[in-house]
Amino acid sequence: MKTATGPSSPVSSSAFQQGQGVEQRLPAGQVTVSAPSDRNLGKWKDAGAQTVRSNCEVATASEVVILALKPQQFQGQWTERLPANKEVLYISVMAGISTGAIRDNIIGKGVLRGNAAVVRTMPNTPMMAGLGATVICADPYTPREHIEIAKLIFGAGNCLAEEVPETLVDAGGALVGCGPAFVYQFIEALADGAVAQGVPRDMANRLTAQMVLGAAKMVQTTGKHPGLLKDEVCSPAGTTIAGLHALKKGQNFNVAVMDAIEASTARSKQLNK
């Protein structure tokens, strides 16, 4: 039900600020993970991390604690008060749970605000491929240096860590956190279309994934509006504009995608209630 991760021995914030890679600074042996059962801890043990059953044990020995659990597990079920009498950076990856709720429910009301920092994040599964995106915010009591540590962790490699006001975390989280699922469905549909036209399935999947990766890179590297890049592909009376015309028949494609982001944002806000 509850998972907290962090280095098993204190790691100075200056080490992070000096730009040392997180992978080099925190090998598996310096990470401690807590979970309610061995089933949850098995993969961490296999990776060389230390494992315990107590969240407080992790927090007491750590300088950075990652709160990685489902928001439904957080609400009303947190029975352990994590220590607030030492400088600890708590980083949440829970959808919909505000920094205020984290501070009040885990650390406790009335603690010395300067001793515990709370950062809320929403990363995504492409982090596993080193190409993730994360939105980050902090509560008013969190020092700037702790925010920078969180950005360094989630921005490692080729990942992007974008700091936003907390009012935008639900929408930003819906975009980066839920967006990959929408893209996967689009990739699947594109590949299905190619298969329907005779392209072998494995080849269709490879070509579609590479095409989407390249298109995303064009948006990043050119700085051009996606609409302009789209127009550059469309020649008069060509194959692309014919396909776009078909795409816009029936339910408007753009509206459907915008509705998906809106629905995910609304659900994220509900989780904090």
Side-chain angles (χ1 to χ4, degrees), residues 162-200:
E162 192 84 21
E163 186 178 353
V164 300
E166 186 154 18
T167 54
L168 294 181
V169 171
D170 291 308
L175 177 61
V176 301
C178 307
F182 308 152
V183 174
Y184 298 146
Q185 185 162 342
F186 184 47
I187 289 174
E188 181 184 33
L190 287 168
D192 284 347
V195 171
Q197 299 304 311
V199 179

Side-chain angles (χ1 to χ4, degrees), residues 70-212:
K70 297 293 185 182
Q72 295 89 342
Q73 296 171 322
F74 170 81
Q75 294 285 20
Q77 297 189 42
W78 197 276
T79 58
E80 294 180 272
R81 293 278 187 187
L82 300 186
N85 59 350
K86 58 172 290 189
E87 288 194 8
V88 179
L89 167 58
Y90 297 98
I91 301 177
S92 166
V93 298
M94 296 181 288
I97 307 300
S98 69
T99 56
I102 295 165
R103 184 175 290 278
D104 289 344
N105 284 278
I106 295 182
I107 304 171
K109 297 179 180 179
V111 302
L112 295 175
R113 299 294 193 180
N115 288 343
V118 176
V119 172
R120 177 183 171 188
T121 72
M122 179 45 60
N124 61 15
T125 54
M127 295 282 291
M128 294 185 287
L131 290 169
T134 302
V135 289
I136 292 176
C137 75
D139 74 355
Y141 310 104
T142 297
R144 185 76 229 170
E145 65 179 274
H146 288 98
I147 300 173
E148 293 302 322
I149 290 172
K151 289 172 68 175
L152 182 61
I153 292 172
F154 288 91
N158 292 315
C159 296
L160 173 67
E162 192 84 21
E163 186 178 353
V164 300
E166 186 154 18
T167 54
L168 294 181
V169 171
D170 291 308
L175 177 61
V176 301
C178 307
F182 308 152
V183 174
Y184 298 146
Q185 185 162 342
F186 184 47
I187 289 174
E188 181 184 33
L190 287 168
D192 284 347
V195 171
Q197 299 304 311
V199 179
R201 169 62 67 182
D202 288 347
M203 182 184 296
N205 287 340
R206 288 196 305 272
L207 290 173
T208 304
Q210 182 63 30
M211 178 274 296
V212 171

Side-chain angles (χ1 to χ4, degrees), residues 224-233:
K224 294 180 179 179
H225 190 281
L228 178 58
L229 290 171
K230 176 207 69 179
D231 289 345
E232 290 177 352
V233 183

Side-chain angles (χ1 to χ4, degrees), residues 1-2 17 21 44 48-49 58 63-64 124 133 143 149 162 169 190 223 243:
M1 184 179 83
K2 294 166 280 193
Q17 291 176 316
W44 294 101
V58 174
E63 192 172 286
V64 178
N124 61 15
I149 290 172
E162 192 84 21
V169 171
L190 287 168

